[in-house]
Amino acid sequence: MNTKGTTVYDCRMVDIQRFSDNRGYLSVVEGGIDIPFEIKRIYYLYMVPEAARGAHAHKQLQQLMIATSGSVHVTMDDGTNKKTFVLDKPWKGLYVAPGLWRDLDDFSGGTVCMVLASEKYEAEDYIRDYEEFLKYKKL
Ligand code: TYD
């Protein structure tokens, strides 16, 4: 898929369904139903110190990011526009469209940020240099 033309407006917050009763809450995400991709990989960030994470783009990877605990700010960047999303509830996910630069910062203490990913890990899918990213987007 050519993802040069994707923009920050292709990202969106997703309300994750929750079930609650006197035992507490349960949330569920089903690939291909709640999100527009099948889930091939799950990873999570935790015990993050002050430092920011991210600072890269993916050419093809689609993701859903969820702060299952704590909070984090995710800034998406398409080379022209930037948009910051706040993840601070276990039932709020950010759908991350492919072909976009992302920066994660402002982690609160104890944050666990879970990422549901559309592909297995592929180092070649990363763009880690911002100038190279701008060239990829032909800006
Ligand atoms: P990185 O993508 O740089 O983390 P972040 O997006 O938070 O900045 O990944 C950190 C390290 O983990 C890097 O050495 C690659 C490795 N890694 C894997 O081996 N498999 C994976 O699925 C992921 C996401 C990372």
Side-chain angles (χ1 to χ4, degrees), residues 25-72:
Y25 284 79
L26 181 154
S27 279
V28 58
V29 179
E30 291 190 82
I33 296 174
D34 301 303
I35 49 176
F37 59 86
E38 294 296 341
I39 299 159
K40 291 206 184 141
R41 178 169 53 117
I42 298 172
Y43 62 93
Y44 36 97
L45 311 173
Y46 53 98
M47 294 171 72
V48 180
E50 293 288 297
R53 297 199 64 115
H56 63 253
H58 285 285
K59 293 179 204 157
Q60 298 299 330
L61 191 71
Q62 300 174 71
Q63 296 160 307
L64 187 79
M65 297 184 181
I66 307 162
T68 53
S69 178
S71 65
V72 57

Side-chain angles (χ1 to χ4, degrees), residues 33 43 62 73 88 94 126 128 134:
I33 296 174
Y43 62 93
Q62 300 174 71
H73 292 189
D88 60 357
L94 171 63
Y126 281 72
R128 292 191 180 274
L134 293 180

